[in-house]
Amino acid sequence: MYSFQSAQTPAKQAVPAQRTFQRVSVNVAGRLMLATHEEFPCSVVDMSPGDVTFACFGRPRVGERVIAYLDHIGRLEGTVLSLSDDGFAMSINATDRKREKLAAQLTWIANKHELGLPEDRRHDRLAPRNTRAEITLDDGRRYECRIMDLSLSGAAVDLDVRPSIGTPVRLGSMRGRVVRHFMEGVAIEFNSVQSREALTEFL
């Protein structure tokens, strides 16, 4: 199972963030916005909690600030480090805590096939712009969460509590049940396939 060993590296070491963590090759889609406010689809070639390489038709300038919305990961901000023939590399502007979360997310993505998380290929994975949401249990308890992964049939959410597998929950207005636990939270399967219109509050 893949693991970011360098996620254990003490933050006080005087090493640039982009060199502190090793990169991992991942296939993550999304879209990004350049400083000109132009938006382009993109895909991640490789990534660490400190930097990321994109394949993208958009051509930013070195030093330009870029905002990206990525499937499974959410919103990232950074600064362009270098350009390539088919994309560019970007440093990731983040706190130490955010980098730790990114390390956990990348580990989850790299090991996703081993975790047995739902992979319904009939439904596209969507990159939510609004990742903040709320989980409501049947007894009325509510918990803030962050959407990591979203499709018409389910979602993976970053959540501090772990409702039992099978627990009915509501994510926003969508009803479903908990089907898996993983490091950062839980996977939810919706009771019925949602329409894109039902997901507009997150897109």
Side-chain angles (χ1 to χ4, degrees), residues 13-78:
Q13 285 188 357
V15 179
Q18 63 265 31
R19 296 179 185 174
T20 303
F21 300 92
Q22 70 181 94
R23 291 186 183 184
V24 59
S25 296
V26 291
N27 182 17
V28 176
R31 59 181 178 270
L32 53 82
M33 183 173 69
L34 306 185
T36 59
H37 300 293
E38 293 177 284
E39 292 194 19
F40 297 92
C42 64
S43 60
V44 174
V45 177
D46 57 44
M47 184 175 179
S48 81
D51 60 0
V52 55
T53 302
F54 290 111
C56 179
F57 289 116
R59 305 302 292 170
R61 301 181 308 277
V62 172
E64 183 175 331
R65 177 174 171 268
V66 171
I67 298 174
Y69 298 90
L70 304 178
D71 292 346
H72 313 291
I73 292 171
R75 186 180 189 273
L76 292 179
E77 291 187 34

Side-chain angles (χ1 to χ4, degrees), residues 7 10 16 29 34 36 38 47 76 97 141 146 177-178 190 193 196:
L34 306 185
T36 59
E38 293 177 284
M47 184 175 179
L76 292 179
R97 175 168 171 74
R141 283 180 293 168
R146 184 177 61 81
R177 63 187 180 90
V178 175
F190 298 142
V193 175
R196 283 183 176 267

Side-chain angles (χ1 to χ4, degrees), residues 23 95 175 182:
R23 291 186 183 184
T95 62
R175 293 186 178 276
F182 54 90

Side-chain angles (χ1 to χ4, degrees), residues 55-124:
C56 179
F57 289 116
R59 305 302 292 170
R61 301 181 308 277
V62 172
E64 183 175 331
R65 177 174 171 268
V66 171
I67 298 174
Y69 298 90
L70 304 178
D71 292 346
H72 313 291
I73 292 171
R75 186 180 189 273
L76 292 179
E77 291 187 34
T79 303
V80 176
L81 298 171
S82 61
L83 304 179
S84 64
D85 290 340
D86 59 355
F88 62 93
M90 179 184 92
S91 65
I92 296 172
N93 299 336
T95 62
D96 288 344
R97 175 168 171 74
K98 173 67 173 176
R99 293 192 201 284
E100 290 173 4
K101 301 272 275 186
L102 283 173
Q105 287 173 299
L106 289 172
T107 299
W108 175 74
I109 292 168
N111 296 322
K112 197 171 183 183
H113 64 286
E114 295 184 27
L115 295 174
L117 295 175
E119 284 286 3
D120 192 338
R121 296 297 183 183
R122 295 171 300 171
H123 303 125
D124 292 339

